[in-house]
PDB file of all heavy atoms in Angstrom:
ATOM      1  N   ASP A   7     -22.524 -24.373  -7.134  1.00 84.00           N
ATOM      2  CA  ASP A   7     -23.542 -23.309  -7.092  1.00 84.00           C
ATOM      3  C   ASP A   7     -24.083 -22.959  -8.465  1.00 84.00           C
ATOM      4  O   ASP A   7     -25.234 -22.595  -8.622  1.00 84.00           O
ATOM      5  CB  ASP A   7     -22.940 -22.060  -6.453  1.00 84.00           C
ATOM      6  CG  ASP A   7     -21.602 -21.677  -7.065  1.00 84.00           C
ATOM      7  OD1 ASP A   7     -20.852 -22.600  -7.465  1.00 84.00           O
ATOM      8  OD2 ASP A   7     -21.300 -20.478  -7.188  1.00 84.00           O
ATOM      9  N   GLY A  13     -32.718 -24.410  -6.317  1.00 61.00           N
ATOM     10  CA  GLY A  13     -32.410 -25.786  -6.678  1.00 61.00           C
ATOM     11  C   GLY A  13     -31.049 -26.256  -6.248  1.00 61.00           C
ATOM     12  O   GLY A  13     -30.528 -27.216  -6.851  1.00 61.00           O
ATOM     13  N   PRO A  45     -19.759 -10.495 -10.723  1.00 57.00           N
ATOM     14  CA  PRO A  45     -20.969  -9.664 -10.691  1.00 57.00           C
ATOM     15  C   PRO A  45     -21.583  -9.558 -12.087  1.00 57.00           C
ATOM     16  O   PRO A  45     -21.089  -8.879 -12.973  1.00 57.00           O
ATOM     17  CB  PRO A  45     -20.434  -8.315 -10.241  1.00 57.00           C
ATOM     18  CG  PRO A  45     -19.013  -8.306 -10.716  1.00 57.00           C
ATOM     19  CD  PRO A  45     -18.532  -9.740 -10.686  1.00 57.00           C
ATOM     20  N   PRO A  49     -29.955  -8.608 -12.842  1.00 51.00           N
ATOM     21  CA  PRO A  49     -30.292  -8.272 -11.459  1.00 51.00           C
ATOM     22  C   PRO A  49     -30.855  -9.439 -10.669  1.00 51.00           C
ATOM     23  O   PRO A  49     -30.943  -9.361  -9.451  1.00 51.00           O
ATOM     24  CB  PRO A  49     -31.371  -7.157 -11.632  1.00 51.00           C
ATOM     25  CG  PRO A  49     -31.950  -7.394 -12.997  1.00 51.00           C
ATOM     26  CD  PRO A  49     -30.810  -7.908 -13.834  1.00 51.00           C
ATOM     27  N   PRO A  56     -22.184 -18.903  -0.593  1.00 88.00           N
ATOM     28  CA  PRO A  56     -21.943 -19.024   0.847  1.00 88.00           C
ATOM     29  C   PRO A  56     -22.481 -20.309   1.458  1.00 88.00           C
ATOM     30  O   PRO A  56     -21.925 -20.785   2.455  1.00 88.00           O
ATOM     31  CB  PRO A  56     -22.647 -17.801   1.439  1.00 88.00           C
ATOM     32  CG  PRO A  56     -22.570 -16.777   0.339  1.00 88.00           C
ATOM     33  CD  PRO A  56     -22.781 -17.561  -0.903  1.00 88.00           C
ATOM     34  N   LEU A  59     -19.596 -22.825   1.365  1.00 94.00           N
ATOM     35  CA  LEU A  59     -18.294 -22.478   1.947  1.00 94.00           C
ATOM     36  C   LEU A  59     -17.908 -23.347   3.154  1.00 94.00           C
ATOM     37  O   LEU A  59     -16.726 -23.651   3.339  1.00 94.00           O
ATOM     38  CB  LEU A  59     -18.259 -20.989   2.304  1.00 94.00           C
ATOM     39  CG  LEU A  59     -18.048 -20.029   1.161  1.00 94.00           C
ATOM     40  CD1 LEU A  59     -18.221 -18.598   1.635  1.00 94.00           C
ATOM     41  CD2 LEU A  59     -16.680 -20.236   0.527  1.00 94.00           C
ATOM     42  N   GLN A  81     -14.836  -7.267 -13.409  1.00 84.00           N
ATOM     43  CA  GLN A  81     -15.330  -8.526 -12.831  1.00 84.00           C
ATOM     44  C   GLN A  81     -14.383  -9.112 -11.790  1.00 84.00           C
ATOM     45  O   GLN A  81     -14.832  -9.615 -10.767  1.00 84.00           O
ATOM     46  CB  GLN A  81     -15.570  -9.544 -13.942  1.00 84.00           C
ATOM     47  CG  GLN A  81     -16.736  -9.232 -14.820  1.00 84.00           C
ATOM     48  CD  GLN A  81     -17.116 -10.395 -15.734  1.00 84.00           C
ATOM     49  OE1 GLN A  81     -16.321 -10.837 -16.515  1.00 84.00           O
ATOM     50  NE2 GLN A  81     -18.312 -10.898 -15.598  1.00 84.00           N
ATOM     51  N   GLU A  87     -13.418  -9.618  -4.097  1.00 90.00           N
ATOM     52  CA  GLU A  87     -13.788  -8.958  -2.859  1.00 90.00           C
ATOM     53  C   GLU A  87     -15.091  -9.515  -2.292  1.00 90.00           C
ATOM     54  O   GLU A  87     -15.253  -9.645  -1.074  1.00 90.00           O
ATOM     55  CB  GLU A  87     -13.903  -7.456  -3.070  1.00 90.00           C
ATOM     56  CG  GLU A  87     -12.560  -6.799  -3.294  1.00 90.00           C
ATOM     57  CD  GLU A  87     -12.613  -5.284  -3.337  1.00 90.00           C
ATOM     58  OE1 GLU A  87     -13.706  -4.742  -3.578  1.00 90.00           O
ATOM     59  OE2 GLU A  87     -11.567  -4.638  -3.104  1.00 90.00           O
ATOM     60  N   VAL A  98      -8.246 -19.175  -4.126  1.00 97.00           N
ATOM     61  CA  VAL A  98      -7.462 -19.401  -5.331  1.00 97.00           C
ATOM     62  C   VAL A  98      -8.243 -18.824  -6.514  1.00 97.00           C
ATOM     63  O   VAL A  98      -9.399 -19.194  -6.740  1.00 97.00           O
ATOM     64  CB  VAL A  98      -7.181 -20.896  -5.553  1.00 97.00           C
ATOM     65  CG1 VAL A  98      -6.591 -21.152  -6.935  1.00 97.00           C
ATOM     66  CG2 VAL A  98      -6.251 -21.418  -4.465  1.00 97.00           C
ATOM     67  N   ARG A 112     -12.797 -14.943 -27.403  1.00 84.00           N
ATOM     68  CA  ARG A 112     -11.352 -14.919 -27.690  1.00 84.00           C
ATOM     69  C   ARG A 112     -10.592 -15.231 -26.414  1.00 84.00           C
ATOM     70  O   ARG A 112     -11.155 -15.176 -25.297  1.00 84.00           O
ATOM     71  CB  ARG A 112     -10.898 -13.553 -28.222  1.00 84.00           C
ATOM     72  CG  ARG A 112     -11.090 -12.421 -27.241  1.00 84.00           C
ATOM     73  CD  ARG A 112     -10.490 -11.114 -27.770  1.00 84.00           C
ATOM     74  NE  ARG A 112     -10.739  -9.995 -26.869  1.00 84.00           N
ATOM     75  CZ  ARG A 112      -9.953  -9.696 -25.814  1.00 84.00           C
ATOM     76  NH1 ARG A 112      -8.913 -10.460 -25.511  1.00 84.00           N
ATOM     77  NH2 ARG A 112     -10.235  -8.638 -25.066  1.00 84.00           N
ATOM     78  N   GLY A 130      -7.199  -9.933  -2.500  1.00 95.00           N
ATOM     79  CA  GLY A 130      -7.487 -10.944  -1.518  1.00 95.00           C
ATOM     80  C   GLY A 130      -7.215 -12.379  -1.849  1.00 95.00           C
ATOM     81  O   GLY A 130      -7.333 -13.256  -0.993  1.00 95.00           O
ATOM     82  N   GLY A 133      -3.665 -17.383  -4.265  1.00 95.00           N
ATOM     83  CA  GLY A 133      -3.094 -18.308  -5.229  1.00 95.00           C
ATOM     84  C   GLY A 133      -3.777 -18.150  -6.559  1.00 95.00           C
ATOM     85  O   GLY A 133      -4.762 -17.445  -6.689  1.00 95.00           O
ATOM     86  N   ALA A 142      -9.385 -29.425 -28.760  1.00 53.00           N
ATOM     87  CA  ALA A 142     -10.676 -29.843 -29.334  1.00 53.00           C
ATOM     88  C   ALA A 142     -10.434 -30.812 -30.473  1.00 53.00           C
ATOM     89  O   ALA A 142      -9.408 -30.786 -31.138  1.00 53.00           O
ATOM     90  CB  ALA A 142     -11.406 -28.595 -29.865  1.00 53.00           C
ATOM     91  N   SER A 170       5.400 -18.565 -11.919  1.00 88.00           N
ATOM     92  CA  SER A 170       6.708 -18.400 -11.273  1.00 88.00           C
ATOM     93  C   SER A 170       6.713 -17.231 -10.304  1.00 88.00           C
ATOM     94  O   SER A 170       7.255 -17.332  -9.191  1.00 88.00           O
ATOM     95  CB  SER A 170       7.775 -18.205 -12.371  1.00 88.00           C
ATOM     96  OG  SER A 170       9.041 -18.025 -11.796  1.00 88.00           O
ATOM     97  N   LEU A 180       0.304 -15.598   1.431  1.00 94.00           N
ATOM     98  CA  LEU A 180      -0.316 -16.401   2.493  1.00 94.00           C
ATOM     99  C   LEU A 180      -0.290 -15.743   3.846  1.00 94.00           C
ATOM    100  O   LEU A 180      -0.672 -16.324   4.846  1.00 94.00           O
ATOM    101  CB  LEU A 180       0.361 -17.772   2.567  1.00 94.00           C
ATOM    102  CG  LEU A 180       0.168 -18.698   1.374  1.00 94.00           C
ATOM    103  CD1 LEU A 180       0.959 -19.989   1.555  1.00 94.00           C
ATOM    104  CD2 LEU A 180      -1.291 -19.004   1.147  1.00 94.00           C
ATOM    105  N   GLY A 191      -1.102   6.547   1.368  1.00 92.00           N
ATOM    106  CA  GLY A 191      -1.351   7.393   0.217  1.00 92.00           C
ATOM    107  C   GLY A 191      -0.726   6.830  -1.027  1.00 92.00           C
ATOM    108  O   GLY A 191       0.334   6.190  -0.987  1.00 92.00           O
ATOM    109  N   VAL A 192      -1.393   7.030  -2.131  1.00 92.00           N
ATOM    110  CA  VAL A 192      -0.891   6.626  -3.444  1.00 92.00           C
ATOM    111  C   VAL A 192      -1.180   7.770  -4.426  1.00 92.00           C
ATOM    112  O   VAL A 192      -2.297   8.226  -4.545  1.00 92.00           O
ATOM    113  CB  VAL A 192      -1.555   5.323  -3.970  1.00 92.00           C
ATOM    114  CG1 VAL A 192      -1.006   4.957  -5.348  1.00 92.00           C
ATOM    115  CG2 VAL A 192      -1.338   4.186  -3.005  1.00 92.00           C
ATOM    116  N   ASP A 197       0.709   8.940 -18.030  1.00 72.00           N
ATOM    117  CA  ASP A 197       1.529   9.560 -19.069  1.00 72.00           C
ATOM    118  C   ASP A 197       0.658  10.452 -19.959  1.00 72.00           C
ATOM    119  O   ASP A 197      -0.265   9.990 -20.600  1.00 72.00           O
ATOM    120  CB  ASP A 197       2.172   8.447 -19.919  1.00 72.00           C
ATOM    121  CG  ASP A 197       3.102   9.007 -20.949  1.00 72.00           C
ATOM    122  OD1 ASP A 197       3.525  10.163 -20.816  1.00 72.00           O
ATOM    123  OD2 ASP A 197       3.447   8.254 -21.884  1.00 72.00           O
ATOM    124  N   GLU A 200      -3.378  14.128 -16.159  1.00 47.00           N
ATOM    125  CA  GLU A 200      -3.285  14.910 -14.938  1.00 47.00           C
ATOM    126  C   GLU A 200      -3.013  13.975 -13.739  1.00 47.00           C
ATOM    127  O   GLU A 200      -3.472  12.827 -13.735  1.00 47.00           O
ATOM    128  CB  GLU A 200      -4.577  15.674 -14.724  1.00 47.00           C
ATOM    129  CG  GLU A 200      -4.839  16.750 -15.766  1.00 47.00           C
ATOM    130  CD  GLU A 200      -3.754  17.797 -15.783  1.00 47.00           C
ATOM    131  OE1 GLU A 200      -3.276  18.155 -14.704  1.00 47.00           O
ATOM    132  OE2 GLU A 200      -3.404  18.242 -16.874  1.00 47.00           O
ATOM    133  N   VAL A 257      13.068  -4.439  -7.059  1.00 93.00           N
ATOM    134  CA  VAL A 257      11.933  -4.647  -7.994  1.00 93.00           C
ATOM    135  C   VAL A 257      12.018  -6.079  -8.458  1.00 93.00           C
ATOM    136  O   VAL A 257      12.862  -6.455  -9.251  1.00 93.00           O
ATOM    137  CB  VAL A 257      12.001  -3.675  -9.195  1.00 93.00           C
ATOM    138  CG1 VAL A 257      10.803  -3.883 -10.109  1.00 93.00           C
ATOM    139  CG2 VAL A 257      12.058  -2.225  -8.694  1.00 93.00           C
ATOM    140  N   PRO A 296      12.625 -17.920  14.535  1.00 47.00           N
ATOM    141  CA  PRO A 296      14.005 -17.882  13.971  1.00 47.00           C
ATOM    142  C   PRO A 296      14.568 -19.275  13.822  1.00 47.00           C
ATOM    143  O   PRO A 296      14.178 -20.207  14.514  1.00 47.00           O
ATOM    144  CB  PRO A 296      14.772 -17.069  15.040  1.00 47.00           C
ATOM    145  CG  PRO A 296      14.027 -17.304  16.292  1.00 47.00           C
ATOM    146  CD  PRO A 296      12.582 -17.406  15.918  1.00 47.00           C
ATOM    147  N   THR A 298      17.186 -22.224  14.318  1.00 47.00           N
ATOM    148  CA  THR A 298      18.084 -22.608  15.393  1.00 47.00           C
ATOM    149  C   THR A 298      19.519 -22.645  14.912  1.00 47.00           C
ATOM    150  O   THR A 298      20.441 -22.391  15.693  1.00 47.00           O
ATOM    151  CB  THR A 298      17.682 -23.970  15.970  1.00 47.00           C
ATOM    152  OG1 THR A 298      17.660 -24.921  14.889  1.00 47.00           O
ATOM    153  CG2 THR A 298      16.332 -23.930  16.591  1.00 47.00           C
ATOM    154  N   ASN A 306      31.967 -20.624   2.710  1.00 68.00           N
ATOM    155  CA  ASN A 306      32.793 -21.830   2.671  1.00 68.00           C
ATOM    156  C   ASN A 306      33.616 -21.806   1.401  1.00 68.00           C
ATOM    157  O   ASN A 306      33.104 -21.905   0.298  1.00 68.00           O
ATOM    158  CB  ASN A 306      31.893 -23.056   2.727  1.00 68.00           C
ATOM    159  CG  ASN A 306      32.686 -24.355   2.791  1.00 68.00           C
ATOM    160  OD1 ASN A 306      33.913 -24.358   2.632  1.00 68.00           O
ATOM    161  ND2 ASN A 306      32.008 -25.439   3.058  1.00 68.00           N
ATOM    162  N   GLY A 325      11.686 -18.116  -7.692  1.00 61.00           N
ATOM    163  CA  GLY A 325      10.512 -18.439  -8.473  1.00 61.00           C
ATOM    164  C   GLY A 325      10.681 -19.548  -9.472  1.00 61.00           C
ATOM    165  O   GLY A 325       9.835 -19.731 -10.327  1.00 61.00           O
ATOM    166  N   LEU A 327      13.711 -22.721 -11.161  1.00 78.00           N
ATOM    167  CA  LEU A 327      14.982 -23.415 -11.069  1.00 78.00           C
ATOM    168  C   LEU A 327      16.089 -22.394 -10.909  1.00 78.00           C
ATOM    169  O   LEU A 327      16.252 -21.535 -11.745  1.00 78.00           O
ATOM    170  CB  LEU A 327      15.216 -24.248 -12.307  1.00 78.00           C
ATOM    171  CG  LEU A 327      16.506 -25.081 -12.341  1.00 78.00           C
ATOM    172  CD1 LEU A 327      16.428 -26.208 -11.308  1.00 78.00           C
ATOM    173  CD2 LEU A 327      16.749 -25.651 -13.730  1.00 78.00           C
ATOM    174  N   VAL A 335      19.557 -36.866  -8.686  1.00 79.00           N
ATOM    175  CA  VAL A 335      19.495 -37.735  -7.517  1.00 79.00           C
ATOM    176  C   VAL A 335      19.594 -39.178  -8.021  1.00 79.00           C
ATOM    177  O   VAL A 335      18.630 -39.751  -8.520  1.00 79.00           O
ATOM    178  CB  VAL A 335      18.179 -37.549  -6.708  1.00 79.00           C
ATOM    179  CG1 VAL A 335      18.166 -38.483  -5.521  1.00 79.00           C
ATOM    180  CG2 VAL A 335      18.064 -36.099  -6.244  1.00 79.00           C
ATOM    181  N   PHE A 344      13.698 -26.674  -7.172  1.00 81.00           N
ATOM    182  CA  PHE A 344      13.335 -25.293  -7.406  1.00 81.00           C
ATOM    183  C   PHE A 344      13.691 -24.451  -6.184  1.00 81.00           C
ATOM    184  O   PHE A 344      13.845 -24.920  -5.080  1.00 81.00           O
ATOM    185  CB  PHE A 344      11.843 -25.135  -7.767  1.00 81.00           C
ATOM    186  CG  PHE A 344      10.885 -25.670  -6.721  1.00 81.00           C
ATOM    187  CD1 PHE A 344      10.406 -24.849  -5.706  1.00 81.00           C
ATOM    188  CD2 PHE A 344      10.437 -26.968  -6.773  1.00 81.00           C
ATOM    189  CE1 PHE A 344       9.532 -25.333  -4.748  1.00 81.00           C
ATOM    190  CE2 PHE A 344       9.556 -27.449  -5.838  1.00 81.00           C
ATOM    191  CZ  PHE A 344       9.087 -26.649  -4.823  1.00 81.00           C
ATOM    192  N   HIS A 355      16.284 -17.681   0.135  1.00 85.00           N
ATOM    193  CA  HIS A 355      15.797 -18.896  -0.504  1.00 85.00           C
ATOM    194  C   HIS A 355      16.533 -20.111  -0.023  1.00 85.00           C
ATOM    195  O   HIS A 355      17.678 -20.033   0.433  1.00 85.00           O
ATOM    196  CB  HIS A 355      15.918 -18.774  -2.032  1.00 85.00           C
ATOM    197  CG  HIS A 355      15.106 -17.689  -2.623  1.00 85.00           C
ATOM    198  ND1 HIS A 355      15.541 -16.395  -2.711  1.00 85.00           N
ATOM    199  CD2 HIS A 355      13.866 -17.702  -3.184  1.00 85.00           C
ATOM    200  CE1 HIS A 355      14.610 -15.641  -3.275  1.00 85.00           C
ATOM    201  NE2 HIS A 355      13.596 -16.412  -3.559  1.00 85.00           N
ATOM    202  N   ARG A 358      14.675 -26.656  -2.837  1.00 86.00           N
ATOM    203  CA  ARG A 358      13.740 -27.734  -2.509  1.00 86.00           C
ATOM    204  C   ARG A 358      13.825 -28.781  -3.634  1.00 86.00           C
ATOM    205  O   ARG A 358      13.701 -28.461  -4.802  1.00 86.00           O
ATOM    206  CB  ARG A 358      12.325 -27.188  -2.420  1.00 86.00           C
ATOM    207  CG  ARG A 358      11.325 -28.206  -1.877  1.00 86.00           C
ATOM    208  CD  ARG A 358       9.949 -27.536  -1.685  1.00 86.00           C
ATOM    209  NE  ARG A 358       9.021 -28.426  -0.980  1.00 86.00           N
ATOM    210  CZ  ARG A 358       8.890 -28.488   0.337  1.00 86.00           C
ATOM    211  NH1 ARG A 358       9.666 -27.756   1.106  1.00 86.00           N
ATOM    212  NH2 ARG A 358       8.022 -29.307   0.882  1.00 86.00           N
TER     213      ARG A 358
END
Side-chain angles (χ1 to χ4, degrees):
D7 49 326
L59 282 173
Q81 290 192 300
E87 290 188 339
V98 170
R112 62 174 177 85
S170 179
L180 293 177
V192 179
D197 185 16
E200 295 297 323
V257 181
T298 54
N306 184 350
L327 182 69
V335 179
F344 58 90
H355 296 86
R358 189 174 188 88

